[in-house]
Amino acid sequence: MKKAYFITLEGGDGCGKTTQKQLLLDYLKNKQIDFICTREPGGSEAAEEIRKVILSGSKDKWDSVSETLLFFAARRSHLVETIWPAIRAGKWVISDRFADSTMAYQGYGRADGLLNRTDIEFLYNLVAKDFKPDLTIILDMDPQIALERVNKRGNMDRMEGMDLSFHQNLRSAFLDIAQKEPSRCVVINANQTPEKVHADIVFAIEERLTLC
Ligand code: T5A
């Protein structure tokens, strides 16, 4: 059986992950690759329930410890119910966000001093063991421009309501994560047309993964 890859799309709010996920799915269909498309928080019935609880309400609803535990509870369900069965069945998995988001948002972004990055690594090992994405696409852009996109679209969630410095920290966090794991992560300039961003993503996939 051909290798089934796990690809994650990461980046700050409004950087265009959902738009790029859709373009990527069309590309995989054209290549006749069997895949599933999923997202975090969410991706299984239980994790979608947790998503509603995490993303609604005031921005101070959870401290960083509670928030992180909720994301990992959702992730465990997502892995067990959706991601691992798909990989075992030979399907590629494309996920809009995964664990790098927790490291960036809760580890670097929410600096309330209650938990550190080692705690997040510990929780990751507990829920996912040595399983990791084969390729992580990090969409990078000025958060001010990305938030203007989100504003224009409407429906801001809890995280999108955080102040600009939070989002600037996030950008640095994702770049730091990419620098630490260059064999897994590719940084792509998201402040280009959707078509150009997609072309860069396809280039990264074809350069790093074996399609047939
Ligand atoms: N979170 C998540 C954590 O804190 N910890 C975690 O562990 C995890 C997993 C998830 C939130 O939870 C946080 C991160 C998030 O804040 P979400 O609803 O999934 O919430 O939020 P996002 O992932 O940020 O999704 P968004 O829909 O807000 O942003 P996208 O998907 O990055 O952007 P997209 O594609 O919807 O585009 C936004 C707007 O820009 C336009 C689109 O048409 C759209 O209107 N656009 C472009 N405009 C110009 N040029 C381009 N190239 C464009 N691409 C898209």
Side-chain angles (χ1 to χ4, degrees), residues 110-122:
R110 298 236 15 205
D112 59 6
L114 294 176
L115 91 171
N116 59 39
R117 292 167 211 164
T118 312
D119 297 326
I120 292 178
E121 280 163 11
F122 171 81

Side-chain angles (χ1 to χ4, degrees), residues 11-20 39-41 51 54-55 67 71 75 96-103 105-106 139 146 149-150 152-153 157 159-160 190-195 197:
D13 297 82
C15 65
K17 293 176 309 304
T18 311
T19 306
Q20 291 306 319
R39 68 170 180 183
E40 287 211 355
R51 178 185 174 96
I54 305 177
L55 294 184
E67 194 171 85
F71 278 115
R75 181 158 305 127
D96 184 344
R97 296 195 183 280
F98 188 62
D100 294 316
S101 283
T102 318
M103 185 55 90
Y105 281 76
Q106 283 67 48
L139 296 180
R149 287 180 181 176
V150 174
K152 220 156 115 190
R153 185 193 59 193
D157 64 34
M159 301 293 177
E160 286 157 356
N191 193 16
Q192 315 180 79
T193 63
E195 295 72 24
V197 177

Side-chain angles (χ1 to χ4, degrees), residues 81-102:
E81 301 297 329
T82 307
I83 298 176
W84 287 335
I87 299 280
R88 278 198 297 271
K91 295 177 186 185
W92 289 33
V93 176
I94 312 300
S95 187
D96 184 344
R97 296 195 183 280
F98 188 62
D100 294 316
S101 283
T102 318

Side-chain angles (χ1 to χ4, degrees), residues 51-70:
R51 178 185 174 96
K52 285 183 208 147
V53 173
I54 305 177
L55 294 184
S56 62
S58 78
K59 63 181 168 51
D60 301 321
K61 180 175 168 188
W62 306 105
D63 70 18
S64 60
V65 175
S66 309
E67 194 171 85
T68 301
L69 292 172
L70 285 166

